[in-house]
Amino acid sequence: MDEQTLPRPGMTISVRTRQDIVIVDPARFMAAARAAYRDLHPDISQEAAAESVADVYDAVGTLLDRFGRLTADAQEMPIGRGGLLPGQRVPDRPDGLSPAGVLQQIVLNDPMPLQDYGCFLPEDPFALPSDS
């Protein structure tokens, strides 16, 4: 086992995630996001949910708040061999979304965790440390 990969006090672990989704049905997507908003805020009316979830950013944020991922119920989809062919979409999901791949990268010992930047995040918070 490599000495640098053993856990130790003060070690920083960064997990960078990319989740790609294709909207195949905008109406179902917005309806699913508004339903998720109402799950989070049960006392709100459908009209108020529609006002609060008015665009893609609102919808994505709501689905992430509610489920932690945009397509939390989707099974892992291999990318490349064994996965869907390029351009092939999943057209019949009730949320109108087609999962299009997830990648995660683990980076050890980023010199500063995000918390240490305070209010002033770095220009590119997803950039790898220069020695990686």
Side-chain angles (χ1 to χ4, degrees), residues 84-113:
L84 294 174
L85 295 174
Q88 189 176 11
R89 305 293 179 235
V90 180
D92 56 353
R93 288 178 48 88
D95 59 10
L97 298 174
S98 179
V102 176
L103 294 173
Q104 286 189 325
Q105 180 180 29
I106 298 169
V107 178
L108 300 180
N109 296 317
D110 199 322
M112 276 180 64

Side-chain angles (χ1 to χ4, degrees), residues 2 4-5 22 32 44 50 54 56 67-68 77 90 95 104 121 125 128 130:
D2 184 351
Q4 291 185 3
T5 61
V22 176
I44 230 148
V56 171
F67 301 113
M77 293 179 55
V90 180
D95 59 10
Q104 286 189 325
L121 290 176
L128 294 173
S130 59

Side-chain angles (χ1 to χ4, degrees), residues 67-81:
F67 301 113
R69 290 182 48 179
L70 289 179
T71 55
D73 65 330
Q75 294 178 336
E76 283 294 316
M77 293 179 55
I79 298 172
R81 187 179 193 137

Side-chain angles (χ1 to χ4, degrees), residues 56-69:
V56 171
Y57 288 105
D58 296 338
V60 168
T62 298
L63 290 171
L64 291 174
D65 287 348
R66 175 67 176 89
F67 301 113
R69 290 182 48 179

Side-chain angles (χ1 to χ4, degrees), residues 15-17 105 114 122-129:
V15 180
R16 288 159 168 83
T17 301
Q105 180 180 29
L114 294 173
E123 186 174 320
D124 183 0
F126 294 99
L128 294 173

